[in-house]
Amino acid sequence: MHALALTDRFARVRELAPGMTISLVVAAAATFLAEHYGAPVLLFALLLGMALNFLSGEGSCKAGIEFTARSILRIGVALLGMRITLGQIAELGWMPVILVVTLVVVTISLSVVAARLMGFQRLFGMLTGGATAICGASAALALAASLPNHPQKERATLFTVIGVSVLSTLAMITYPMIARFFELTPVESGVFLGATIHDVAQVVGAGYSMSTETGDVATVVKLMRVAMLLPVILVAAMITRMQGADPASGKRPPLLPLFAVGFLVLACINSTGWVPAMVQSGVNDLSRWCLVIAIAAIGMKTQLRELAAVGIKPILLMVGETVFLAALVLLLMHWGIKP
């Protein structure tokens, strides 16, 4: 019996190996390009993966690509919990917490309404709104893993990841100029950058390009937004349960996905201060690699002609969400919700 089970596992490994290997190779190439040319690594992984989308059809790579796009993605999201601690949030006081909670709730709610008015499903608005309000591509991938399956889900996820990556890069360049135009203090500038730019890497780049103090504050505020990923995933999971059983497995999804539990556990462990810096850095690197590998696989699963058919409306939705978020943060800071 044990020998049979072991044989089945080896067969499963052989089945998954080709697709997982090609996803890893694409992720390594994307990382190399990102380090040498300064563009977002997830964007490179998407583009390279899309160029190899013929591999996700019938063939030896299909099963491994499917597994990577689903399971490796969830592992990467769970490991994001090692990025935050409760102490980091407490250091800035309650005002930034109120700011972050307000902007996440309002942005996602407005995105859902706007998506419905523009003829999209409400879940697409939740996906784009969550990516805009929380942590860019990472949030898009986490939410996609939590939301119900539907025929357009992968294309919507891919479009969202591309959109937030491009908009985040543009924000990294333009938002420091906006902070200087409004004559924000270093701390206020950090709050503005951390609360508005989508991806962590671009927040760090924009913040430290202004000053060390601005970079430190921007990073902590951004991590507060990352912490909002868990309650939003919980809401997404509840929506999924309301849809009934998963057609693929025939089982009703859990109230809180296992990867979300892992996210929470790692965040609590990281908050104890017992985790060595080397271990923390290693887990963060592993998380980044899992997400890059997963997005490469998602890119390979997507047909270019399908992405080209999205039209102008989704683009307008994401640009509108980004502009609204920046305006909302400036307005809330003007009203006194700041450190």
Side-chain angles (χ1 to χ4, degrees), residues 7 10 22 35 46 52 84 101 120 125 133 142 149 162 171 180 190 196 215 220 228 323-324 328:
T7 301
F10 278 129
I22 192 62
E35 290 175 349
L46 275 173
L52 298 174
I84 64 172
V101 172
F120 303 119
N149 290 322
I162 292 176
R180 292 189 179 97
T196 53
V220 173
M228 289 295 295
V323 173
F324 172 79
L328 177 62

Side-chain angles (χ1 to χ4, degrees), residues 261-327:
V261 175
F263 179 97
L264 177 61
V265 169
L266 286 178
C268 292
I269 293 173
N270 195 37
S271 298
T272 64
W274 298 341
V275 181
M278 183 173 65
V279 173
Q280 187 181 47
S281 176
V283 173
N284 288 335
D285 287 342
L286 180 59
S287 172
R288 183 185 66 85
W289 270 104
C290 286
L291 293 177
V292 175
I293 293 169
I295 198 62
I298 290 174
M300 283 186 274
K301 290 181 62 179
T302 303
Q303 299 296 322
L304 294 174
R305 62 179 176 272
E306 293 179 357
L307 188 62
V310 297
I312 192 65
K313 284 186 177 180
I315 298 174
L316 293 177
L317 176 63
M318 292 203 68
V319 171
E321 290 167 349
T322 300
V323 173
F324 172 79
L325 178 63

Side-chain angles (χ1 to χ4, degrees), residues 124 154-164 307 310 314-315 318:
F124 181 62
E154 289 176 358
R155 187 173 73 172
T157 302
L158 185 62
F159 170 79
T160 302
V161 170
I162 292 176
V164 294
L307 188 62
V310 297
I315 298 174
M318 292 203 68

Side-chain angles (χ1 to χ4, degrees), residues 141-213:
L141 295 172
L143 285 169
S146 306
L147 291 171
N149 290 322
H150 59 85
Q152 305 299 321
K153 178 179 176 179
E154 289 176 358
R155 187 173 73 172
T157 302
L158 185 62
F159 170 79
T160 302
V161 170
I162 292 176
V164 294
S165 297
V166 172
L167 290 170
S168 188
T169 301
L170 293 175
M172 180 179 66
I173 298 170
T174 58
Y175 283 13
M177 292 187 285
I178 294 176
R180 292 189 179 97
F181 175 80
F182 285 102
E183 299 181 347
L184 301 180
T185 66
V187 173
E188 291 172 346
S189 297
V191 172
F192 172 68
L193 298 177
T196 53
I197 299 178
H198 306 321
D199 288 316
V200 175
Q202 278 72 24
V203 169
V204 172
Y208 286 106
S209 70
M210 297 188 69
S211 71
T212 300
E213 184 180 10

